[in-house]
Amino acid sequence: MRILALESSCDETAITLLKISKGSLSLEKNQVYSQANIHQKYGGVIPEIAARKHVETIIPLLEENLGKKRLKGIDYLAVTSGPGLITSLLLGITAAKTLAYSNNLPLIPINHIEGHIYSNWLSHKELVKNSKKYFPALILIISGGHTELILMKNHGEYQLLGQTVDDAVGEAFDKVAKMMNLGYPGGPIVSKLAEKGQNEYDFPRPMLKDGNYNFSFSGLKTAVLYSLEKKGRINKKDKENICHSFQEAVREVLIKKTLRVRENYKVNSIMIGGGVAANKQIKESLALECQKLNIPFFAPTLKYTGDNAAMIATAAYYKLKNKKVQVLKGAKLLSLSPNSNWQLVKNK
Ligand code: KG4
Ligand code: ZN
């Protein structure tokens, strides 16, 4: 079976051709075009510019990756339908709908967060082989738009345990970077500087003492802003120390809240997903805690932490395999539209 997937929910245009043969997954094509350098000068993603760039990129990406074979040998199309920037989502969806309808192929709409979850299946053969062994899995989603703790009871069965009440963790990294004019996306830059810094600033650990599993990062971000204002001019060492102290606060909250779930729920593995899953300190710290508790820990391979279409194709495969998906066909698929606030799970 072959699945062609498109992802365009934010500022990455991505395409993947996933082949599934005898239960194992392989990527015949996988390309991500990142617009980060274009948005860099604004310190964040400008939706109108992102959409325009998707328009320019999507057809060349399709042509380059499909070549003369076009859609020959492809059984399904999958596309990110939400959550994300509505104008960005619209471009991927329009391309996928056009391709599916004109080639009489079925189309599978995929939730972006579910894609981030399945980036772990894409990265670990052991999960593909023995999924059941690792359910219920506790998933910590840490991205530019989301921070969620999800209990995954089985393929396609989720329970939302907690989420951010304000900023997402990646967003907080980006905003802290912007305050110091470090560049965009801020996460990788902040984490690099943090490596050289020390825990000099006693930043708050928001909501750590609350008994729930929710997060809040806007107060932490404001605390960084106040420290910067108080300091006035800052040198390289100050920047490194601020980044380090900020990252430490984030790390502690994320890890302690995740482990708290484990105290109250039966969990057979812990997984992370999303752009911030690339953060070495957060990843290694959680891996270490899991090791101490003798609980399997999974993180996506670095190249699948950020937005990509391979994770979307993988999620589509598992939805098909477990018959937990509405496959759109013929005229019906034309009604698919972006759902910028699509929540994977609503319940608590
Ligand atoms: O998953 P993603 O690519 O896009 C969304 O779905 O939002 O996540 C992007 C986010 C950005 O906020 C970026 O700064 C952050 O992931 N990020 C990091 C690191 N690498 C990327 N944050 C902290 N440390 C990193 N190493
Ligand atoms: Zn993402």
Side-chain angles (χ1 to χ4, degrees):
M1 185 205 290
R2 279 191 181 80
I3 303 173
L4 175 71
L6 297 176
E7 150 70 43
S8 71
S9 64
C10 191
D11 60 340
E12 265 96 19
T13 328
I15 181 169
T16 279
L17 187 52
L18 172 73
K19 183 180 169 191
I20 303 102
S21 175
K22 296 188 187 120
S24 56
L25 318 179
S26 60
L27 298 176
E28 291 193 335
K29 298 281 175 189
N30 186 42
Q31 201 177 343
V32 180
Y33 172 80
S34 173
Q35 308 173 1
N37 59 338
I38 298 165
H39 299 281
Q40 170 126 25
K41 58 175 170 285
Y42 308 103
V45 178
I46 307 293
E48 164 67 20
I49 296 174
R52 250 186 279 165
K53 205 65 206 168
H54 285 307
V55 174
E56 286 170 23
T57 316
I58 212 152
I59 306 279
L61 268 187
L62 282 164
E63 282 180 341
E64 201 179 317
N65 285 280
L66 296 177
K68 286 202 180 101
K69 278 172 92 184
R70 302 274 149 174
L71 296 185
K72 234 191 194 159
I74 290 170
D75 304 289
Y76 292 91
L77 269 93
V79 66
T80 307
S81 305
L85 298 172
I86 192 139
T87 42
S88 286
L89 289 164
L90 190 61
L91 272 306
I93 289 182
T94 307
K97 270 162 63 169
T98 312
L99 286 173
Y101 187 71
S102 56
N103 291 277
N104 205 16
L105 284 170
L107 176 63
I108 306 167
I110 294 294
N111 182 296
H112 182 80
I113 301 302
E114 196 162 23
H116 277 307
I117 293 174
Y118 276 98
S119 63
N120 280 296
W121 271 260
L122 186 59
S123 308
H124 302 282
K125 286 199 173 77
E126 170 58 14
L127 274 177
V128 176
K129 242 201 275 165
N130 295 312
S131 288
K132 292 269 179 290
K133 187 173 150 192
Y134 299 100
F135 292 136
L138 175 59
I139 320 275
L140 173 67
I141 291 294
I142 36 178
S143 74
H146 292 82
T147 309
E148 293 177 358
L149 274 166
I150 298 169
L151 193 65
M152 184 178 186
K153 296 170 182 172
N154 204 335
H155 289 293
E157 280 178 39
Y158 307 103
Q159 184 183 350
L160 180 65
L161 301 176
Q163 61 189 326
T164 180
V165 296
D166 41 55
D167 291 353
V169 61
E171 190 182 353
F173 268 97
D174 294 340
K175 285 179 177 167
V176 163
K178 198 174 176 178
M179 287 173 203
M180 292 183 273
N181 290 317
L182 299 178
Y184 172 85
I189 309 168
V190 168
S191 71
K192 204 149 196 232
L193 286 172
E195 277 178 29
K196 296 182 197 140
Q198 282 174 336
N199 209 4
E200 273 234 333
Y201 295 79
D202 188 20
F203 289 136
R205 270 59 174 157
M207 296 183 83
L208 188 57
K209 296 213 169 80
D210 297 14
N212 59 33
Y213 309 115
N214 287 334
F215 301 96
S216 163
F217 294 104
S218 95
L220 172 59
K221 178 193 71 191
T222 311
V224 174
L225 182 67
Y226 287 160
S227 295
L228 284 168
E229 282 175 357
K230 207 168 140 197
K231 256 209 126 60
R233 284 176 74 87
I234 49 165
N235 60 28
K236 195 166 164 267
K237 196 76 225 149
D238 296 325
K239 284 182 191 169
E240 289 167 359
N241 289 341
I242 285 179
C243 288
H244 185 99
S245 310
F246 163 76
Q247 185 174 271
E248 267 307 292
V250 170
R251 189 194 61 78
E252 190 181 334
V253 175
L254 288 176
I255 283 158
K256 289 203 170 149
K257 288 243 167 181
T258 304
L259 296 179
R260 189 180 294 157
V261 174
R262 199 226 150 232
E263 285 165 17
N264 299 322
Y265 287 82
K266 181 181 156 46
V267 160
N268 285 334
S269 65
I270 294 181
M271 301 179 196
I272 52 173
V276 187
N279 186 289
K280 203 164 164 257
Q281 267 66 38
I282 294 171
K283 187 167 64 176
E284 286 181 358
S285 176
L286 192 52
L288 189 69
E289 294 301 326
C290 287
Q291 198 182 9
K292 282 191 218 155
L293 294 164
N294 202 17
I295 181 163
F297 171 75
F298 296 97
T301 311
L302 207 55
K303 65 177 171 189
Y304 303 130
T305 52
D307 292 348
N308 64 86
M311 67 184 194
I312 302 300
T314 308
Y317 166 63
Y318 278 97
K319 294 198 89 63
L320 275 170
K321 188 170 181 252
N322 296 290
K323 301 186 177 61
K324 282 184 176 149
V325 66
Q326 195 202 359
V327 180
L328 304 172
K329 284 184 192 149
K332 225 176 162 194
L333 67 81
L334 296 175
S335 63
L336 179 66
S337 55
N339 182 351
S340 57
N341 294 316
W342 183 6
Q343 280 178 281
L344 180 61
V345 248
K346 287 198 184 94
N347 63 315
K348 273 241 167 182

